[in-house]
Amino acid sequence: MGDQVKLLGTWASPFSHRIELALKLKGIQYEFIEEDLSNKSSLLLNSNPVYQKIPVLIHNGKSIAESLVILEYIEETWQNNPFLPKDHFDRATARFWAKFVETILQTTRNYRTAKEEEREQIYKELGEQLKTLENELNGKEFFGGESIGFLDIVIFYIVYWFQIRQEVLQIEIITKEKLPILCNYMEKLYEIDVVKQCLPPKEKHLAYVRALFAKHFPK
């Protein structure tokens, strides 16, 4: 009997998409279980009792939570098609930049509680952080080198998530004028079949984000 792999997630979550891409790159068969976060299942609550969040990977009945932790678990459990570098320094560097992405996410979370006059500063800070990220990509095909790696899995869906939100909010943070290398990189990944398979339908996603912002930031 083979491995039994289940992924608890939601269709619009970039963190769920991270795990789906990693599993597909490894060629692992899995069952995706869509969670209703307004009415969390007992499976989710029992599988991640600490945070009660998605994504959760259930491998042969054992649960692993938090997307970065899950990615490392997948890499260590299935040896084929490695996405983390073998070199210890390169691995540490990839983990460093993954943590930096978490810092960028925190900046976006600050937007939710920011006053109107504070939002311009948040946009500026976000732009500077993304420029720092772009500088790391400069001269490379992918963040992972010549093929999609750990850092690409971590970054791609987050930047996509930003792009959807900036389209809804009609702001310009990620543009070819400001971040040409990052934009070209994103366009290249959009064309890769395995990446596209893990993207939600764009119009459905835009409608979802519009409804989300209407709820949290009513005019």
Side-chain angles (χ1 to χ4, degrees), residues 128-170:
E128 290 171 352
Q129 289 172 329
L130 288 169
K131 188 65 179 178
T132 299
L133 195 62
E134 182 182 71
N135 291 339
E136 175 63 15
L137 179 61
N138 193 12
K140 301 176 184 176
E141 187 76 6
F142 300 98
F143 282 99
E146 296 181 359
S147 59
I148 296 175
F150 174 78
L151 201 50
D152 301 289
I153 296 169
V154 169
I155 289 168
F156 175 78
Y157 294 105
I158 297 300
V159 177
Y160 169 78
W161 184 75
F162 289 161
Q163 289 177 321
I164 289 290
R165 276 151 182 73
Q166 80 171 7
E167 189 169 336
V168 169
L169 293 170
Q170 297 183 327

Side-chain angles (χ1 to χ4, degrees), residues 167-215:
E167 189 169 336
V168 169
L169 293 170
Q170 297 183 327
I171 56 176
E172 293 188 346
I173 296 175
I174 304 172
T175 66
K176 285 204 170 183
E177 290 72 29
K178 295 178 180 178
L179 298 163
I181 296 170
L182 190 61
C183 286
N184 289 336
Y185 162 83
M186 291 297 293
E187 287 178 3
K188 181 169 54 185
L189 265 72
Y190 284 136
E191 296 306 313
I192 298 173
D193 284 342
V194 70
V195 175
K196 285 194 287 189
Q197 290 170 20
C198 301
L199 281 174
K202 186 175 180 182
E203 290 307 315
K204 180 182 179 183
H205 201 178
L206 285 168
Y208 169 81
V209 173
R210 286 189 190 103
L212 200 64
F213 276 96
K215 178 181 178 182

Side-chain angles (χ1 to χ4, degrees), residues 33-44:
I33 300 174
E34 179 74 26
E35 280 289 335
D36 177 359
L37 298 183
S38 64
N39 183 25
K40 297 174 183 178
S41 71
S42 58
L43 180 60
L44 174 58

Side-chain angles (χ1 to χ4, degrees), residues 83-151:
F83 50 71
L84 264 168
K86 289 184 179 179
D87 181 83
H88 293 302
F89 175 79
D90 291 341
R91 280 196 174 217
T93 301
R95 290 184 178 114
F96 169 84
W97 286 106
K99 285 289 186 182
F100 182 73
V101 173
E102 296 299 301
T103 302
I104 298 176
L105 284 169
Q106 186 55 53
T107 301
T108 65
R109 292 185 186 109
N110 293 341
Y111 180 90
R112 296 180 187 175
T113 55
K115 297 177 182 176
E116 189 70 38
E117 61 271 19
E118 295 171 332
R119 289 177 187 166
E120 192 63 37
Q121 179 58 35
I122 291 174
Y123 291 150
K124 182 181 177 182
E125 185 179 350
L126 180 58
E128 290 171 352
Q129 289 172 329
L130 288 169
K131 188 65 179 178
T132 299
L133 195 62
E134 182 182 71
N135 291 339
E136 175 63 15
L137 179 61
N138 193 12
K140 301 176 184 176
E141 187 76 6
F142 300 98
F143 282 99
E146 296 181 359
S147 59
I148 296 175
F150 174 78
L151 201 50

Side-chain angles (χ1 to χ4, degrees), residues 9-75:
T10 63
W11 69 269
S13 167
F15 306 103
S16 293
H17 298 315
R18 282 177 177 176
I19 309 309
E20 286 200 86
L21 179 56
L23 292 169
K24 288 181 184 295
L25 288 170
K26 293 279 189 180
I28 300 164
Q29 296 294 315
Y30 65 96
E31 177 188 356
F32 182 83
I33 300 174
E34 179 74 26
E35 280 289 335
D36 177 359
L37 298 183
S38 64
N39 183 25
K40 297 174 183 178
S41 71
S42 58
L43 180 60
L44 174 58
L45 297 177
N46 291 330
S47 300
N48 186 7
V50 176
Y51 296 117
Q52 301 181 355
K53 293 180 179 179
I54 54 93
V56 176
L57 187 77
I58 303 176
H59 178 213
N60 294 335
K62 296 180 179 179
S63 304
I64 307 97
E66 296 293 294
S67 65
L68 294 181
V69 176
I70 296 170
L71 288 176
E72 296 224 25
Y73 177 84
I74 291 170
E75 175 73 349

